[in-house]
Amino acid sequence: MKKALLALLCLLPLLCAARAEAAYKIGVDIENQIVTVYRADDDGEDGIVRQMICSTGRSNSTPRGTFKLFTRKGVDREEWYYIAKFRCFVQYPTRIYNDILFHSLPYSAKDLATLDQTALAQLGDAASHGCIRLYSEDAKWIAENCGDGTVCRIYAGGARDDELRLRLNHARQSAITTEISEIAGGAAALNNNN
């Protein structure tokens, strides 16, 4: 009896962790360039937790299918990540499949002021090399809330929803404009104090 109880106590943290990591599932709509996070038990409209505008890969370079998110220790879900192949930094990478990640828009350095303005202008269109680009706050949300084992379905097809795309992009553009203004204002204040 003691051995069975001990075995159950040892398994309990694993069972709780697996349940916590399966709190959400993700859909990536390539037609609309939108990432939708659903509660794991409801992928209907009532189950939507968050929707985000994104940029998937050009020339069908983002794989379609159903995947489970996973983490390569020490390199994923960090604030900054260097992609040597493209000589850029991104924020909050979450691995979907092989080298395909959710991550922020690219930066030329570990500095928010070095945001790639071309990538920003292309958000909402297929523009990456295969990864799924998001605004930083959205990439961070996925990294912090969608644990290993979260199901991610990447698909094409369906009707284009320009109203939803415009609404999501406008909301995030406003947020990033405010963030850039705050960075510029902070730099100006620092220079005035010197």
Side-chain angles (χ1 to χ4, degrees):
M1 179 71 170
K2 286 184 180 179
K3 287 183 180 180
L5 184 57
L6 184 58
L8 181 60
L9 288 174
C10 290
L11 288 174
L12 191 58
L14 295 173
L15 294 172
C16 291
R19 185 173 184 182
E21 291 175 346
Y24 302 112
K25 57 187 166 187
I26 302 171
V28 180
D29 177 352
I30 291 177
E31 177 67 30
N32 284 294
Q33 298 291 300
I34 292 174
V35 174
T36 303
V37 178
Y38 302 92
R39 287 192 313 268
D41 59 350
D42 184 356
D43 61 359
E45 200 166 301
D46 290 337
I48 295 174
V49 175
R50 188 177 183 109
Q51 287 188 298
M52 305 161 260
I53 198 79
C54 71
S55 285
T56 60
R58 297 183 302 257
S59 305
N60 295 316
S61 57
T62 300
R64 275 73 165 167
T66 301
F67 309 93
K68 288 190 176 182
L69 303 183
F70 66 99
T71 300
R72 287 189 185 161
K73 301 295 180 204
V75 296
D76 294 349
R77 301 175 191 257
E78 299 291 326
E79 183 177 4
W80 290 102
Y81 178 72
Y82 184 65
I83 301 177
K85 183 176 181 179
F86 303 112
R87 290 183 273 175
C88 69
F89 289 90
V90 296
Q91 290 188 297
Y92 307 107
T94 299
R95 197 161 302 277
I96 302 167
Y97 173 77
N98 290 342
D99 290 334
I100 303 298
L101 309 165
F102 285 111
H103 63 67
S104 73
L105 295 167
Y107 296 82
S108 60
K110 285 185 181 181
D111 180 349
L112 296 178
T114 66
L115 176 66
D116 182 328
Q117 295 298 313
T118 300
L120 175 60
Q122 293 172 332
L123 198 64
D125 296 317
S128 78
H129 297 96
C131 289
I132 299 170
R133 295 176 180 170
L134 301 159
Y135 285 112
S136 289
E137 70 178 69
D138 293 330
K140 181 178 182 182
W141 192 93
I142 288 176
E144 292 178 346
N145 294 284
C146 299
D148 290 359
T150 299
V151 172
C152 177
R153 181 174 161 253
I154 303 173
Y155 60 94
R160 182 100 163 161
D161 188 341
D162 288 324
E163 182 181 322
L164 177 60
R165 287 168 42 81
L166 184 63
R167 189 173 70 237
L168 290 173
N169 202 28
H170 178 70
R172 294 298 189 259
Q173 282 281 6
S174 296
I176 203 161
T177 300
T178 301
E179 183 178 325
I180 289 170
S181 296
E182 289 171 1
I183 291 167
L190 186 61
N191 288 336
N192 289 337
N193 290 334
N194 288 334

